[in-house]
Amino acid sequence: MTREWLVKLRNDANKTHDEVATKVKISRQYYGMIESGIRNPSVDLAKKIASFLEFEWTLFFADKSNEMLLNKITKEVG
């Protein structure tokens, strides 16, 4: 599940995978996995990426927290 919002923010900032990865001190491949949704960043790494691309770092965790809330509600109702 590609993080389309992250791709857009990076493209809008006119940055490459390599530029983001170098700035936050991770490999280009690892950054690619974060962007493609294969890996999730730690809070510290999310903050570094967000600072560099100028967005709210909690966006990384918004989808996951919404999914967890939905699962909790579904279990309570069912």
Side-chain angles (χ1 to χ4, degrees):
M1 177 169 85
T2 301
R3 290 182 170 104
E4 296 293 335
W5 58 269
L6 184 56
V7 174
K8 181 176 178 356
L9 286 168
R10 179 179 53 76
N11 287 333
D12 288 351
N14 203 26
K15 303 294 181 191
T16 65
H17 279 195
D18 196 48
E19 289 172 312
V20 177
T22 299
K23 181 66 177 180
V24 301
K25 299 181 179 167
I26 59 174
S27 71
R28 183 200 55 75
Q29 293 85 354
Y30 188 68
Y31 178 76
M33 287 188 283
I34 291 170
E35 202 170 88
S36 66
I38 295 169
R39 298 294 304 257
N40 292 315
S42 65
V43 169
D44 186 52
L45 183 55
K47 288 179 178 180
K48 289 177 184 178
I49 294 169
S51 177
F52 183 62
L53 295 178
E54 299 180 349
F55 67 91
E56 180 59 42
W57 67 271
T58 57
L59 284 176
F60 278 110
F61 306 102
D63 290 341
K64 189 66 175 171
S65 63
N66 289 339
E67 178 184 319
M68 290 169 59
L69 179 60
L70 180 59
N71 287 340
K72 180 181 178 189
I73 291 169
T74 303
K75 286 179 184 176
E76 289 174 358
V77 172

